[in-house]
Amino acid sequence: MALAISRGELPVELLSGADMIARFLQDEGVERIYGYPGGAALHIYDALFRQDKVKHILVRHEQAATHAADGYARASGKPGTVLVTSGPGATNAVTGIATAYMDSIPMVVLCGQVASHLIGEDAFQETDIVGVTRPIVKHSFAIKHPSEIPEVLKKAYYLASTGRPGPVVVDIPKDMTAPTERYEYVYPKKVKIRSYNPVTRGHSGQIKKAVDMMLKARRPVFYTGGGIVTSGASENLTALVRRLGFPITTTLMGIGAYPQTDAQSLSWLGMHGSYEANMAMHHADLIIAIGARFDDRVTNNTSKFCPTAKIVHVDIDPSSISKTVRADVPIVGPADSVINEMISLLQGREMANAEALPEWWATIDGWRAEREGKLYEPSQPGERLKPQEVVEAVYHITRGEAFVTTDVGQHQMFAAQYYKFDKPNRWITSGGLGTMGFGFPAAMGIKQNFPDDIVVCFTGEGSFQMMMQELSTCKQFGTGVKIINLNNGSLGMVRQWQDLNYKSRHAHSYMESLPDFHKLIEAYGFTALKVERHDQLDAALERMFADNDELVFLDVDVDPREHVYPMQVPLGAMRDMLLSKTERT
């Protein structure tokens, strides 16, 4: 309940700390908050109950709350919001916080805490969540007085969404939200943090150097990452790449930053990236890296990484530049602004080695031709489906327009390889942390905020069982995601490594007591489909996508012997790849 007093001619609104949180979320434009109640957060929950603008989504596990908020953030570009209670509620959210941190995803996590006079006394459900999460957040706050709640929350959302995005934790002792204490509430429209000043543009001199190098290059490659997606730079990137005519590859997190069906796209690169992307990177004489951090899943052995290439590295985070691979031209700045300045500097200028680019493309097209028709062996009548075939069929029936989430493992790599994305923010996966259990709740969060779009989750029987309780959440809120279980009866990527490195000693990588997924899904009141042969697939997919509002689970028996290729040879260069079980570069 709010009280109003007058200060001169202006009314002053007095709110409790809990009501301040609810009002702030409204004023900030937050539409949904994902959470799970508990004692330390009940004042906040009561405040949410007494308003109707911010919708609370009750998950069945706090980890799912963070993944759902994360999925929404990746799809929308806006910070996701989470509310959990103290102790186990907060610690259950840690995996999702780390997932967002590793992939630079904006998120604000509100954590209830024991009353301030009990902190440090090992009170019931007390955990130092600020200390626990310190290595995996962009910043954290602990509320010391109710009156500071609006300003702290404004700072939290500002920090989460500016510069290099990331999760911010706000620890809120229960007495800070007591309904009996009221303080003046004013929504802070602006915020200023003295020690935090993210750059808004790159160094013009460095950008000019980069452009000069681009115009002189003979074998250039654009290497772009998730920073393009999070900064909304895809449109400018596409214009720059087409203006120059250079090949472009992306990281796993950068998929969709440039249209994958475009002729200049080499698809994505790295451990399971395309043959032509890895080969082009290795032989390049100039790499223009924008919004990518030279992750180990891209570079392989850094001492052998792209030995003939000069490197231009653009990143909003100065600590990422030359962290693992030395940059010849470092540029600290937001991707969209830097790219826009590059486009301006290119006006009226021509390539110094114009004859070299067609030769470079001829080489790349030769690599493409080498692998054409050799990506995988299609299944034969009577054989189990290949997972690649399932992903391709889903791509065709959805016309490449779905939001696609994944869990982590072989199905994740197959989805990335065989579903082509021409738009950013449509490919939603856990890259840096590799979190099993991410895909389903992320899909749930996306579907609840984009109800008219098709949302598909590719999962495996190992990953799905980690968060399958969220079927209950989907039932409560009528969330019609499409779940495709590429069921090979094992932890497929673990088994693949065991095949390659441990003489096929499959130590605890086979799931020997799987549930009957059909009965499990029906127990929650949803439709379950089963596919065992290729001739059943098209009809099952037609049924699955007949009603966009219906949750449907498709369980597909796929070949358990299938491996993901290409696969980089450990400790090798980017060009060192296994191309099949019997072939390598």
Side-chain angles (χ1 to χ4, degrees):
M1 181 181 295
L3 294 178
I5 61 174
S6 294
R7 180 183 293 164
E9 296 181 358
L10 298 175
V12 176
E13 191 172 21
L14 300 181
L15 298 177
S16 70
D19 285 318
M20 284 185 185
I21 294 170
R23 177 66 61 81
F24 176 88
L25 295 175
Q26 294 176 14
D27 293 342
E28 188 68 11
V30 174
E31 296 180 353
R32 285 176 179 79
I33 183 170
Y34 293 85
Y36 201 97
L42 283 185
H43 293 329
I44 304 172
Y45 269 90
D46 187 62
L48 289 172
F49 183 82
R50 289 183 280 103
Q51 58 82 52
D52 58 5
K53 293 182 180 178
V54 180
K55 186 171 185 178
H56 179 273
I57 304 297
L58 176 64
V59 296
R60 275 35 176 186
H61 192 288
E62 292 87 351
Q63 183 177 333
T66 55
H67 293 332
D70 183 320
Y72 161 74
R74 294 179 198 240
S76 69
K78 301 175 183 178
T81 306
V82 176
L83 173 60
V84 295
T85 192
S86 63
T91 57
N92 278 348
V94 167
T95 297
I97 294 170
T99 301
Y101 178 77
M102 289 290 283
D103 289 342
S104 303
I105 304 302
M107 180 189 297
V108 175
V109 183
L110 309 177
C111 295
Q113 181 57 279
V114 299
S116 54
H117 70 279
L118 294 175
I119 292 175
E121 296 189 5
D122 294 331
F124 177 66
Q125 290 193 333
E126 178 191 358
T127 298
D128 177 11
I129 196 60
V130 170
V132 168
T133 60
R134 186 168 283 117
I136 53 169
V137 295
K138 185 175 180 181
H139 195 69
S140 54
F141 295 94
I143 300 296
K144 303 297 184 183
H145 193 274
S147 62
E148 70 182 26
I149 285 174
E151 183 180 2
V152 167
L153 292 184
K154 188 65 178 178
K155 288 180 178 178
Y157 279 88
Y158 174 68
L159 284 167
S161 57
T162 57
R164 180 178 180 174
V168 176
V169 163
V170 183
D171 196 37
I172 310 170
K174 187 171 185 178
D175 52 322
M176 298 296 107
T177 59
T180 55
E181 297 184 24
R182 297 182 178 88
Y183 299 88
E184 181 179 345
Y185 173 81
V186 177
Y187 174 71
K189 294 182 179 179
K190 295 183 179 179
V191 64
K192 187 174 183 180
I193 304 173
R194 185 176 60 183
S195 59
Y196 178 72
N197 296 292
V199 294
T200 57
R201 56 170 300 179
H203 188 282
S204 293
Q206 293 293 88
I207 297 173
K208 185 177 182 302
K209 281 184 187 178
V211 169
D212 290 342
M213 291 174 72
M214 291 181 209
L215 293 173
K216 293 176 183 176
R218 302 185 68 87
R219 299 184 307 280
V221 177
F222 277 98
Y223 154 50
T224 57
I228 297 289
V229 178
T230 57
S231 66
S234 295
E235 187 174 335
N236 268 345
L237 174 71
T238 301
L240 175 63
V241 173
R242 288 177 175 166
R243 160 72 177 79
L244 289 165
F246 291 179
I248 178 172
T249 182
T250 74
T251 65
L252 185 72
M253 297 308 304
I255 288 175
Y258 184 88
Q260 286 192 302
T261 58
D262 188 86
Q264 287 174 240
S265 172
L266 307 184
S267 193
W268 53 284
L269 79 170
M271 177 171 283
H272 294 294
S274 75
Y275 175 73
E276 57 267 30
N278 287 345
M279 293 296 284
M281 284 285 288
H282 181 82
H283 292 281
D285 70 347
L286 177 66
I287 292 170
I288 309 108
I290 309 178
R293 59 186 177 88
F294 293 87
D295 175 72
D296 63 287
R297 290 289 167 123
V298 166
T299 63
N300 207 353
N301 187 338
T302 54
S303 67
K304 300 178 181 179
F305 178 75
C306 305
T308 60
K310 296 288 186 182
I311 294 174
V312 173
H313 190 182
V314 181
D315 204 288
I316 190 91
D317 181 5
S319 69
S320 291
I321 295 180
S322 295
K323 183 178 181 180
T324 57
V325 174
R326 189 183 71 83
D328 296 284
V329 181
I331 302 172
V332 179
D336 202 42
S337 170
V338 172
I339 294 170
N340 195 46
E341 192 165 344
M342 287 178 171
I343 293 172
S344 296
L345 289 171
L346 285 167
Q347 298 303 317
R349 301 183 66 184
E350 300 297 331
M351 298 286 295
N353 300 297
E355 80 290 347
L357 192 57
E359 295 174 4
W360 181 222
W361 271 113
T363 301
I364 292 171
D365 288 339
W367 288 323
R368 280 174 165 165
E370 284 181 40
R371 299 300 301 154
E372 190 173 358
K374 299 180 182 178
L375 297 178
Y376 69 92
E377 291 289 337
S379 62
Q380 300 301 312
E383 293 181 345
R384 284 184 173 182
L385 278 155
K386 297 294 176 69
Q388 301 95 318
E389 295 172 311
V390 181
V391 177
E392 286 185 319
V394 174
Y395 170 68
H396 289 302
I397 197 169
T398 61
R399 300 178 298 280
E401 296 176 354
F403 284 101
V404 174
T405 75
T406 76
D407 280 293
V408 171
Q410 285 184 321
H411 67 269
Q412 176 190 31
M413 298 295 102
F414 288 132
Q417 289 176 335
Y418 294 96
Y419 198 106
K420 303 301 179 185
F421 296 85
D422 286 340
K423 298 177 184 177
N425 303 98
R426 293 273 168 165
W427 165 250
I428 314 291
T429 197
S430 170
L433 197 65
T435 306
M436 292 176 68
F438 170 83
F440 177 34
M444 181 178 71
I446 295 167
K447 185 65 176 178
Q448 286 164 353
N449 288 278
F450 297 89
D452 296 332
D453 286 277
I454 300 170
V455 182
V456 178
C457 172
F458 284 103
T459 188
E461 68 289 338
S463 289
F464 182 69
Q465 290 185 92
M466 291 191 173
M467 285 283 120
M468 64 186 182
Q469 75 283 340
E470 298 311 311
L471 289 165
S472 179
T473 307
C474 289
K475 182 68 175 178
Q476 180 175 345
F477 294 97
T479 308
V481 300
K482 311 301 182 185
I483 307 164
I484 299 174
N485 183 32
L486 299 180
N487 191 339
N488 60 12
S490 67
L491 302 176
M493 193 58 82
V494 174
R495 179 184 47 75
Q496 176 169 334
W497 279 83
Q498 289 171 336
D499 285 340
L500 296 172
N501 299 317
Y502 299 91
K503 298 181 180 179
S504 295
R505 294 189 295 273
H506 299 140
H508 304 287
S509 56
Y510 273 94
M511 295 280 183
E512 298 178 2
S513 57
L514 289 173
D516 183 330
F517 285 110
H518 199 282
K519 292 180 179 178
L520 175 70
I521 302 304
E522 288 188 335
Y524 281 97
F526 296 123
T527 298
L529 306 171
K530 179 76 172 177
V531 168
E532 296 174 314
R533 304 186 314 273
H534 199 294
D535 60 2
Q536 299 172 329
L537 181 60
D538 287 346
L541 291 177
E542 289 287 346
R543 169 65 186 87
M544 182 175 214
F545 292 101
D547 182 351
N548 189 36
D549 297 325
E550 180 187 18
L551 188 149
V552 181
F553 183 95
L554 176 60
D555 189 27
V556 187
D557 275 351
V558 296
D559 188 346
R561 301 163 299 176
E562 195 68 8
H563 286 182
V564 182
Y565 295 109
M567 180 178 182
Q568 286 180 337
V569 176
L571 302 180
M574 290 201 73
R575 68 177 178 181
D576 298 327
M577 291 170 277
L578 300 173
L579 301 178
S580 69
K581 292 180 181 179
T582 59
E583 182 185 8
R584 63 177 288 169
T585 56

